[in-house]
Amino acid sequence: LSRMHCISAGCTGCARATPPSLTFDRFQPFNAATDFQPCCFIQAHQNQTQVEQCRVGDSSVALVDIDNEDSNTVSTFNARIRNLFTMCNLDGLRVDTVKHVHQDFWPDLLSRAGVLAVREALDYLYNYTGAYTNVIDTVFNYPEWFNLVKAFLSPQADMGLLVTSVDLTKQDLKNGAMPAVSFSEDHDNALHSSSIFDPTLIKSTIAWKSGGE
């Protein structure tokens, strides 16, 4: 039995307040305002600076954004990731919200983990996703997932989307499809099977995913 651990290095906690009412003393190991980015919210997901330095959510419920550009923060992450895998004897790592941290942060952290790492970044663009295959072992193929959902939504859907997925995966991801993990369901989106009622389409979706792997 293999064991995989999920981490998020981009944000922490669920803050129902904003400064100055928000305090950080209950967070660990980052428990000071200086450990986090100044408060702002992502207004444009096409703006990579906002994606990396602002908070996911809004003023009602937000994930506080860790300052991954601070050298002390980086050192803390690097030390704790190695200890985690040494103590727990884990086999793999699922890296959440990768796109919310600048790319230079990842190579050193993941090399210290010393195991296969699969990253998650919810985006539909193949070239955007492909850029991360230069700094991390493997990626969840979200661009393919968006096309997969459309292609198997009904018998009249455009199956050519799957051909496009194969071509763009090979074109834009480092080493083609080798670093890409195909999937049909994930915890960030509604279940694909909840939007279709044809058992054949559900089985076809699973078959495509299995073939992609």
Side-chain angles (χ1 to χ4, degrees):
L1 179 65
S2 298
R3 291 177 292 180
M4 177 173 282
H5 189 76
C6 181
I7 68 164
S8 174
C11 50
T12 186
C14 180
R16 295 182 179 273
T18 56
S21 58
L22 173 64
T23 58
F24 301 93
D25 55 307
R26 289 184 294 177
F27 295 152
Q28 290 294 336
F30 308 113
N31 54 15
T34 53
D35 295 327
F36 301 89
Q37 298 279 7
C39 183
C40 62
F41 295 97
I42 300 172
Q43 303 297 325
H45 285 271
Q46 299 79 17
N47 185 322
Q48 189 62 27
T49 299
Q50 287 189 18
V51 169
E52 293 177 2
Q53 297 183 358
C54 295
R55 298 182 181 183
V56 178
D58 53 34
S59 57
S60 299
V61 179
L63 300 178
V64 186
D65 198 75
I66 300 171
D67 185 1
N68 299 96
E69 299 174 14
D70 178 77
S71 59
N72 291 327
T73 301
V74 173
S75 298
T76 299
F77 269 116
N78 288 344
R80 291 175 74 93
I81 195 70
R82 183 65 263 171
N83 291 338
L84 172 66
F85 278 81
T86 300
M87 289 189 302
C88 300
N89 193 29
L90 300 171
D91 303 293
L93 187 65
R94 180 191 184 278
V95 189
D96 197 51
T97 56
V98 165
K99 71 178 185 179
H100 295 281
V101 179
H102 62 95
Q103 292 191 23
D104 291 343
F105 172 83
W106 295 113
D108 193 26
L109 178 77
L110 298 178
S111 67
R112 291 172 185 269
V115 296
L116 174 71
V118 184
R119 75 95 181 168
E120 173 269 317
L122 207 167
D123 199 275
Y124 66 92
L125 295 174
Y126 285 87
N127 56 357
Y128 182 92
T129 298
Y132 288 92
T133 59
N134 295 313
V135 295
I136 196 168
D137 299 322
T138 309
V139 297
F140 288 107
N141 198 342
Y142 263 99
E144 180 196 61
W145 177 82
F146 282 104
N147 281 345
L148 185 69
V149 169
K150 295 176 183 177
F152 290 114
L153 191 60
S154 75
Q156 292 75 39
D158 182 7
M159 299 298 290
L161 291 169
L162 299 179
V163 177
T164 299
S165 290
V166 172
D167 291 341
L168 291 179
T169 295
K170 291 190 294 184
Q171 171 184 299
D172 291 333
L173 274 65
K174 182 180 178 181
N175 299 322
M178 291 301 293
V181 176
S182 295
F183 65 97
S184 58
E185 312 284 4
D186 80 321
H187 67 279
D188 288 318
N189 297 278
L191 294 177
H192 178 47
S193 56
S194 68
S195 60
I196 55 178
F197 305 97
D198 185 337
T200 301
L201 290 174
I202 296 175
K203 293 176 182 178
S204 296
T205 303
I206 296 172
W208 176 267
K209 180 197 73 70
S210 300
E213 292 176 346

